[in-house]
Amino acid sequence: MLPYFRERTFPGKDGRLRSEPPVDTDDAIYESGDEEHHVDFALRWSHYIGDWDIGIAHFSGTSREPLLIPVDSGTDTRFRPLYLQIDQTSLDLQVTKGAWLWKLEAIYNRNDVDDYYAYVGGFEYTQFGIAGSAIDLGWLLEYNYDDRGDSATTVLQDDVFFGVRYTDNDVHGTRILAGVAVDTDTATTFANVEASRRLSEHWVLGMEMRLFSNVDEEDPLHQIRDDDYLEIQLTRYF
């Protein structure tokens, strides 16, 4: 039981990665008259059968993902977040076959605006102990689909993702995950690299990089097509 709801935060006009126009988080709309005090419910059942891990879940209440409603006041244009009441059922499957890991996640969302379904499925194949070392190399391939198409609130509505996961298995916990997502309709490309390495008992060095290329004018990523960035993080643990 979820007795209270916290609205999502969005980047402001000086933030990244922001939408254009920006989202006015001070002017949210709720389908329920109880607004953030609407009582929501969620449940999940999970089990395994041999190599299969199975999960079935259901959520009923205020959607955590708002629709963005454009508003033009004459002096400025902005988005108002609309939080609908939804019933969403989900299924997650995972099959482990040696070095192969197969996954499927699917949802069906019922609401008063536009019912839809979405899913992501793919595999990860891991090569253990490359050339007799402790290094593992994982190869990932996924397909993302959202029934809402161009009106989806996610950019992965019809995209293929390919990635590589490098794990050193050393005392420093060195890890690198690099991947590219390509839109099958427009060929819009989004590249992502994440890496981390422990420098000592208290210090960890991290890195994130996001790159956008060949972004189609109709793609949601067009708003942030110039927001390539590299971020270096140095974290101390006490």
Side-chain angles (χ1 to χ4, degrees), residues 96-112:
T96 305
K97 294 289 185 180
W100 293 87
L101 190 64
W102 297 85
K103 291 185 177 183
L104 171 68
E105 297 179 5
I107 62 169
Y108 178 74
N109 186 297
R110 187 163 55 87
N111 59 79
D112 289 336

Side-chain angles (χ1 to χ4, degrees), residues 144-207:
N144 298 262
Y145 180 79
D146 192 306
D147 178 51
R148 294 170 292 180
D150 293 337
S151 62
T153 56
T154 172
V155 297
L156 299 175
Q157 78 278 16
D158 190 8
D159 295 63
V160 175
F161 172 82
F162 172 76
V164 179
R165 187 195 312 275
Y166 171 92
T167 306
D168 206 336
N169 291 313
D170 58 352
V171 295
H172 301 290
T174 305
R175 294 177 297 173
I176 303 173
L177 174 62
V180 176
V182 180
D183 191 296
T184 60
D185 293 325
T186 65
T188 294
T189 303
F190 166 62
N192 175 62
V193 181
E194 299 176 2
S196 68
R197 178 179 174 84
R198 187 183 304 110
L199 301 180
S200 68
E201 183 178 351
H202 301 289
W203 292 93
V204 175
L205 182 65
M207 184 270 285

